Amino acid sequence: MNRLGKIATPIFTVLIIIIVTKSIITPMGSVQAPVESAGYETTMAAFLKGFTQGYYTMDVLAAFVFGGIFIKSIESLNLKTQKDVSSVFFQAGIITVVGLVALQVSMAWMGVSSVDSVGYVSNGGELIALSAKTLFGQIGIYLIGIVIFLTGITTNVACLAATAEYFGRIMPSISYKKWLIVFSLLGVVFTNFGLKKILSMPSPVLMLLYPIAITLIILIFTEKWFGGAQSVYVGTMIGTVLIAILDAVKDANIMVEQINSTFAFIPLFTSDAGWLITGLLGAIIGYLFSNKNVVQSSNSTRT
């Protein structure tokens, strides 16, 4: 933790700042209009496209797993109370949010300003590599290589620790260290498939799981507004899951046109975000059902 937090992260941050600053001082080209039929033609379309493309980062799904590791790491600082732990966790979260926003805006700038120099490429990894080379020459490849290596190390440590710990708990016959070795070797194998292939493999699963995960997080943070009523949870999840299943099927290239035409009446459905509407509708129905039960229970008590 000390090495990753005090050495790797500052180096990564400085290198990213250098690359982004260079792209601002000496732009690679003028800002280009989005490619036709790419899903970025309007502001709303661009937002929804970026929203669903963000699934591939797996940040939300990882948060469910990494959260425990973060809490343990903070607790190891010998803080006195749970309130102190929560305070540090919250402060770290704020720093992370600000950092990620700055990073994503910077990457967006590099993307829209690099077309004149590198053209249109298939994925963000290729774009960043070619942009770094354009900005710094051959040394740019080494700079971005170090950045990718450092971010990969931090992510791998968290992923491997969380997965090995989980499998070590459910299958204790195999030690934590052995699980680490197994998943490390699997990682080496999958890495050689290339970024585009790796992103496409779990895509249908992400289209199913991500809406569920986001919905659960929203419900947890808004629970006090509806009193934690089970009917709200059930209604929201039903509305979310039904559409998420359809999105996953579409992403697997199964009956895409038929599904889109059948459910096009649902707002945002063709943008793979229809679950936002149906989930909200399910929440409203669940809330009304909850209030109805409360009223009936109150009347029964008076009787």
Side-chain angles (χ1 to χ4, degrees):
M1 287 300 300
N2 286 338
R3 291 192 181 106
L4 287 175
K6 296 179 180 178
I7 299 176
T9 302
I11 294 174
F12 157 79
T13 304
V14 169
L15 291 179
I16 282 292
I17 290 174
I18 290 173
I19 294 172
V20 172
T21 301
K22 173 68 172 173
S23 74
I24 295 173
I25 295 174
T26 58
M28 292 175 278
S30 58
V31 174
Q32 299 292 314
V35 179
E36 290 186 12
S37 302
Y40 298 94
E41 291 79 12
T42 66
T43 302
M44 178 56 73
F47 172 78
L48 293 174
K49 184 76 170 181
F51 186 81
T52 53
Q53 288 290 303
Y55 293 176
Y56 296 108
T57 65
M58 302 190 193
D59 286 341
V60 172
L61 298 180
F64 283 95
V65 182
F66 294 171
I69 295 178
F70 298 153
I71 292 293
K72 288 180 182 178
S73 299
I74 294 172
E75 289 175 342
S76 69
L77 300 175
N78 297 319
L79 299 175
K80 295 181 179 180
T81 65
Q82 190 62 40
K83 184 178 180 180
D84 292 334
V85 173
S86 299
S87 177
V88 172
F89 192 82
F90 179 78
Q91 292 170 27
I94 293 296
I95 294 171
T96 302
V97 168
V98 173
L100 283 175
V101 168
L103 178 63
Q104 297 301 336
V105 170
S106 300
M107 293 300 102
W109 157 252
M110 290 180 65
V112 299
S113 64
S114 64
V115 179
D116 288 339
S117 298
V118 304
Y120 293 100
V121 294
S122 60
N123 61 68
E126 186 179 355
L127 169 65
I128 294 173
L130 292 174
S131 296
K133 186 175 182 180
T134 301
L135 292 168
F136 294 96
Q138 189 60 33
I139 193 175
I141 295 296
Y142 298 111
L143 288 176
I144 203 65
I146 294 172
V147 169
I148 299 298
F149 175 75
L150 292 177
T151 54
I153 286 292
T154 54
T155 304
N156 277 325
V157 167
C159 282
L160 290 172
T163 335
E165 183 180 6
Y166 173 74
F167 278 89
R169 188 167 63 249
I170 64 173
M171 298 179 66
S173 58
I174 302 177
S175 69
Y176 171 81
K177 184 175 288 187
K178 289 179 180 178
W179 279 119
L180 275 179
I181 295 172
V182 169
F183 288 119
S184 296
L185 293 175
L186 286 174
V188 171
V189 173
F190 282 111
T191 295
N192 289 282
F193 291 170
L195 180 60
K196 190 173 182 179
K197 182 66 176 178
I198 291 173
L199 290 178
S200 66
M201 289 168 63
S203 186
V205 178
L206 293 177
M207 295 301 291
L208 172 64
L209 295 183
Y210 236 89
I212 295 174
I214 294 173
T215 300
L216 282 173
I217 291 174
I218 293 173
L219 287 171
I220 290 170
F221 276 100
T222 59
E223 192 175 67
K224 63 180 181 181
W225 295 354
F226 57 87
Q230 185 179 21
S231 60
V232 176
Y233 272 91
V234 173
T236 308
M237 292 308 297
I238 289 175
T240 299
V241 170
L242 289 177
I243 302 303
I245 291 173
L246 294 174
D247 287 339
V249 172
K250 286 195 304 177
D251 200 71
N253 288 320
I254 300 173
M255 300 175 63
V256 177
E257 294 300 326
Q258 294 91 324
I259 293 175
N260 275 335
S261 60
T262 303
F263 296 94
F265 66 92
I266 300 175
L268 309 181
F269 182 81
T270 54
S271 299
D272 298 326
W275 60 270
L276 291 168
I277 306 301
T278 55
L280 178 60
L281 181 61
I284 294 172
I285 294 173
Y287 184 72
L288 294 175
F289 184 80
S290 173
N291 281 350
K292 179 182 177 181
N293 286 345
V294 170
V295 171
Q296 288 178 345
S297 175
S298 177
N299 290 337
S300 297
T301 302
R302 290 173 184 172
T303 303

